[in-house]
Amino acid sequence: MAEQAKSGNAIWETIKTIVYALLIAGVFRTLFFQPFWIPSGSMKPTLLIGDFLFVNKMAYGYSYASCPSLIIPSVGLDVDAEDICGWMGGDNTRLLGGEPERGDVIVFRHPVSGRDYIKRLIGLPGDKIQIKDGVVYINGTEAKQTPDGTFTEIAEPQGPQRLRPRCENGPVGVGGTCEKTRMIETLPSGVSHEILNIGNQSTDNTGVYTVPEGHYFFMGDNRDNSSDSRVPQVAGGVGYVPYENLIGRADRIMFSSAGRSMLFFWTWRGDRFFKAVN
């Protein structure tokens, strides 16, 4: 009986340890940093498919979107942040809120689907944004673009979704060299970053977007391969993003995998360890 009691106590202690560990991990992920693995190429060349980074949740304070979502389709787990912390949402405010800066790379919840997106902040509340011939104008001021050579990559399936890159010199066969024009874009605030061009499309010339109060306008750095604020939500895009939907700022890439899984260490990119996100 004594041995059974000891065995029972050991099992109970193991369960408590696991529960405590999960609670601590949940609190840490909610308040401080959230891991994020880049699934698509919409932020190339700043972020590549397979980049693994931690999102700084302290940068802008906390809202319902700060709570973690637990989505594992293979086991039928689908617990959304709104299911846990939806009671905090609806008023577009944040606890200990901080203001994001133009040019920040930010993870946010899509206003309709609730899925996590990562894009660059281009428009602040009240801004007027327009794109002319692929060039961004903010409140009438041009975000100047300076040629910066050519971005190249292998035309092959990338990441777990096996996405094929779009190429300016396409169509390119598997194993060929995929090219895109690379530019340095400088925002009126002085922040500079790389962007890519693939070709002419409808989002290269737009009307004037007036960003509502309490909302933000986002664009991907891979301009012709990004679903972002240039397309309204009713048309399947992102539209304007409420302040409360911001999750955090991407500051640094921890490591990067060029393979189908971040666990395939032999596919890790040697030049992206602890790389700052600019």
Side-chain angles (χ1 to χ4, degrees):
M1 292 293 293
E3 290 182 359
Q4 290 179 349
K6 289 181 179 179
S7 177
N9 288 336
I11 294 173
W12 176 241
E13 289 300 321
T14 300
I15 292 173
K16 287 198 297 184
T17 299
I18 294 172
V19 170
Y20 291 153
L22 291 174
L23 288 174
I24 292 171
V27 170
F28 184 86
R29 181 174 173 179
T30 299
L31 297 180
F32 303 111
F33 298 97
Q34 175 175 319
F36 193 85
W37 194 33
I38 303 301
S40 73
S42 69
M43 281 296 292
K44 292 177 182 177
T46 305
L47 298 173
L48 304 180
I49 294 177
D51 282 351
F52 181 84
L53 48 86
F54 282 98
V55 176
N56 180 358
K57 289 189 157 186
M58 297 177 285
Y60 312 128
Y62 307 97
S63 71
Y64 85 96
S66 302
C67 285
S69 296
L70 302 173
I71 302 173
I72 308 176
S74 59
V75 297
L77 185 61
D78 188 358
V79 180
D80 187 77
E82 199 165 33
D83 298 330
I84 304 172
C85 296
W87 56 273
M88 295 173 59
D91 58 1
N92 204 24
T93 60
R94 307 181 72 87
L95 179 65
L96 303 176
E99 294 297 326
E101 298 182 5
R102 194 190 318 277
D104 285 356
V105 176
I106 296 174
V107 173
F108 58 87
R109 279 176 58 90
H110 189 284
V112 177
S113 71
R115 294 296 182 250
D116 292 348
Y117 276 54
I118 185 165
K119 306 289 179 184
R120 188 176 298 276
L121 176 57
I122 299 295
L124 302 173
D127 280 348
K128 294 185 181 300
I129 310 293
Q130 186 173 20
I131 296 90
K132 304 178 187 177
D133 296 324
V135 177
V136 177
Y137 288 79
I138 303 174
N139 299 320
T141 301
E142 175 186 357
K144 294 183 179 180
Q145 297 182 4
T146 305
D148 191 44
T150 302
F151 174 82
T152 63
E153 57 186 335
I154 302 301
E156 61 184 3
Q158 300 176 353
Q161 300 180 40
R162 313 309 290 158
L163 301 176
R164 286 284 301 274
R166 291 181 58 203
C167 313
E168 189 175 14
N169 62 325
V172 177
V174 176
T177 300
C178 178
E179 299 179 352
K180 301 177 183 66
T181 299
R182 181 170 55 209
M183 309 287 283
I184 300 296
E185 179 178 77
T186 301
L187 301 175
S189 60
V191 175
S192 296
H193 54 271
E194 297 175 314
I195 62 171
L196 299 180
N197 178 70
I198 298 173
N200 296 323
Q201 57 187 48
S202 61
T203 50
D204 287 337
N205 290 279
T206 72
V208 177
Y209 304 92
T210 301
V211 185
E213 288 301 317
H215 291 71
Y216 297 88
F217 188 96
F218 289 91
M219 294 177 68
D221 291 348
N222 192 1
R223 290 289 161 80
D224 297 331
N225 193 38
S226 173
S227 175
D228 51 40
S229 294
R230 290 171 291 178
V231 178
Q233 296 157 17
V234 294
V238 171
Y240 305 118
V241 178
Y243 181 46
E244 66 179 351
N245 281 44
L246 306 185
I247 294 176
R249 185 181 64 216
D251 291 333
R252 190 169 297 275
I253 299 163
M254 304 308 293
F255 66 90
S256 180
S257 171
R260 299 187 64 172
S261 170
M262 63 181 178
L263 300 178
F264 294 173
F265 62 86
W266 57 90
T267 67
W268 289 2
R269 301 177 175 107
D271 61 341
R272 298 185 73 79
F273 286 98
F274 309 112
K275 180 180 175 65
V277 176
N278 297 316

